[in-house]
Amino acid sequence: MEKEIKQLKKDLEQAIAKVNDVKSLNDLRVHYLGKKGKITGLKEMLKELSVEDKKTAGKLFNDFRQEATDLIEEKEINLKRKALDEQLITEKIDPTLGATEIKTGSIHPLDRTIKEVLDLFVSMGYDVVTGPEIESDEYNFARLNLPKDHPARDMQDSLYVATDYLLRTQTSPTQVRTMEENKAKGPIRMIAPGKVYRKDDDDATHSHQFMQIEALVVDENINLGHLKGTLELMVQTLFGKERKIRFRPSYFPFTEPSLEVDVSCFRCDGEGCSFCKESGWLEILGAGMVHPAVLEMSGYDKEKYSGFAFGLGVERLAMLKYGINDIRQFYQNHLHFLELFERIDKEGHK
Ligand code: PHE
């Protein structure tokens, strides 16, 4: 037995030395240690030995089998290491190469402005609602107290897509839809952001598509004071605690009285500067008390209920807030413009 083991060990060592790849090594493993392998075959010889001899020979056999296993394993580790070394040499990487820049996005200034306004109104219990951008003549005009031949329809150059259907020129139809949908005809507090469209030539201050935020409050005994308080709070939240507002008389067919609302210029604190065209005030939105005819058309008891509404231009608000002087910048999506807001995300607005 000892003799056989010696011979096999010699054979094995020679065979291992010749092997150059993992696959041949596996074949060799099977050849020696597999079920019908040469080393396994030695076991047969053990059977013929006396009990006494079996003990020593058995130990020899087990030790040798272990040794053979270790030798093969060691070779395998070496082969794998060699392969990896070769791979590292052939597949060179250049650590000096510039990394691919991963751009992080930022919230668009219009979304940012809408979110700020919505957050405030939601905190006061307003419901956020939306309405269709393709609107019927009926909702965009008629139910807002602008019948077909009303001259004020010319105030807003409309884009009709079919007879009686147009791209809404304002978010005010959401007022009507909300009042109509409220079957109980009870109090309403709603805020409605969305896109609107007008037949305008685009320039620094005009866009054929822009965004508005509409607000409507309907309840018993709502008066101008409520409107003023609400707008003051909004303006101070957006532009700082020191801001004041003023009302100027205006005209909208769906409000009576109607108002234009100005905020005291936050650049010069009302002194007068180029930003506010020396007036000390910046116009920010249109508002008014809901016209009784509008309440009535939407099924509300105009004797019991009153309401206020306002509609503000999101682009205008964002332009004022961030000092942007061309409305087209919102829609060109130039990265350098949007990156300004990435910085605001990180550092806060100054
Ligand atoms: N819808 C008006 C506009 O687009 C703004 C407005 C809304 C005025 C609500 C009064 C009340 O100009």
Side-chain angles (χ1 to χ4, degrees):
M1 182 86 172
E2 215 181 325
K3 216 174 80 207
E4 280 84 2
I5 286 178
K6 255 195 187 145
Q7 183 57 45
L8 260 183
K9 192 174 165 184
K10 223 167 117 194
D11 292 352
L12 177 67
E13 278 168 351
Q14 276 171 5
I16 287 180
K18 277 188 205 145
V19 165
N20 270 327
D21 60 274
V22 177
K23 193 186 167 312
S24 322
L25 186 69
N26 274 336
D27 293 345
L28 183 143
R29 193 195 320 262
V30 174
H31 188 66
Y32 282 91
L33 292 165
K35 260 193 188 144
K36 292 178 182 147
K38 284 192 167 169
I39 296 177
T40 325
L42 283 177
K43 236 181 177 172
E44 294 298 312
M45 287 175 71
L46 285 174
K47 285 183 191 156
E48 285 147 32
L49 297 175
S50 67
V51 180
E52 207 43 42
D53 289 345
K54 227 185 240 175
K55 260 191 191 162
T56 32
K59 188 172 171 349
L60 275 178
F61 171 78
N62 282 335
D63 287 351
F64 175 52
R65 195 166 56 177
Q66 188 56 49
E67 193 185 356
T69 310
D70 291 348
L71 280 174
I72 292 171
E73 217 157 86
E74 192 187 331
K75 178 77 181 187
E76 188 175 349
I77 291 168
N78 284 338
L79 281 176
K80 283 187 174 159
R81 190 176 299 148
K82 216 173 106 201
L84 184 65
D85 283 347
E86 270 164 24
Q87 198 183 5
L88 285 176
I89 288 165
T90 47
E91 284 178 18
K92 270 195 192 133
I93 56 158
D94 180 358
T96 64
L97 214 64
T100 318
E101 198 187 340
I102 299 167
K103 297 250 181 209
T104 48
S106 61
I107 302 170
H108 193 279
L110 294 178
D111 284 335
R112 189 182 293 273
T113 308
I114 290 172
K115 185 177 182 319
E116 224 175 313
V117 175
L118 257 48
D119 278 354
L120 171 68
F121 283 92
V122 167
S123 79
M124 295 192 289
Y126 285 59
D127 290 325
V128 178
V129 307
T130 53
E133 286 174 29
I134 295 175
E135 190 52 281
S136 66
D137 198 287
E138 181 77 11
Y139 283 96
N140 195 79
F141 291 126
R143 290 187 191 227
L144 285 162
N145 208 23
L146 280 101
K148 272 243 150 63
D149 49 357
H150 197 289
R153 282 195 178 204
D154 296 340
M155 276 166 66
Q156 299 175 353
D157 288 314
S158 323
L159 288 158
Y160 276 83
V161 293
T163 325
D164 294 333
Y165 283 92
L166 70 161
L167 298 178
R168 66 176 175 190
T169 60
Q170 50 188 354
T171 43
S172 299
T174 60
Q175 289 186 37
V176 178
R177 288 183 175 276
T178 306
M179 284 191 277
E180 282 193 354
E181 276 161 25
N182 186 350
K183 297 255 171 352
K185 301 298 170 205
I188 286 175
R189 262 178 292 181
M190 67 131 241
I191 186 107
K195 286 191 186 114
V196 300
Y197 304 82
R198 295 195 190 165
K199 217 192 309 169
D200 246 336
D201 289 329
D202 292 1
D203 62 23
T205 51
H206 294 89
S207 173
H208 62 282
Q209 178 225 288
F210 57 101
M211 301 190 82
Q212 287 189 332
I213 299 176
E214 191 84 11
L216 170 72
V217 169
V218 177
D219 208 333
E220 291 176 43
N221 302 316
I222 295 292
N223 59 46
L224 266 183
H226 297 118
L227 174 61
K228 188 160 191 224
T230 306
L231 290 176
E232 237 158 29
L233 181 66
M234 181 182 81
V235 155
Q236 288 170 359
T237 307
L238 291 171
F239 296 106
K241 282 258 168 297
E242 317 75 41
R243 300 279 62 83
K244 294 187 195 62
I245 57 165
R246 74 173 183 189
F247 285 170
R248 280 181 293 112
S250 183
Y251 173 74
F252 300 104
F254 36 91
T255 48
E256 181 57 35
S258 299
L259 315 153
E260 295 281 350
V261 182
D262 297 342
V263 57
S264 58
C265 180
F266 44 85
R267 288 277 172 92
C268 61
D269 213 12
E271 295 283 308
C273 66
S274 60
F275 194 61
C276 58
K277 300 199 184 82
E278 308 301 332
S279 72
W281 295 94
L282 298 161
E283 186 191 318
I284 53 158
L285 57 89
M289 300 306 294
V290 182
H291 198 295
V294 174
L295 286 172
E296 202 170 31
M297 274 186 276
S298 299
Y300 270 79
D301 179 353
K302 63 177 188 209
E303 304 302 332
K304 188 175 171 198
Y305 285 104
S306 53
F308 70 71
F310 66 83
L312 60 83
V314 179
E315 281 79 354
R316 173 148 179 84
L317 209 63
M319 284 167 87
L320 291 175
K321 195 168 160 60
Y322 300 114
I324 296 160
N325 50 25
D326 192 328
I327 195 171
R328 289 168 292 197
Q329 288 192 290
F330 291 120
Y331 299 106
Q332 286 159 341
N333 288 330
H334 287 319
L335 278 181
H336 61 82
F337 173 72
L338 297 172
E339 274 160 8
L340 293 176
F341 297 91
E342 195 184 329
R343 215 173 307 146
I344 293 174
D345 276 345
K346 288 192 194 118
E347 297 162 18
H349 186 56
K350 284 178 199 110

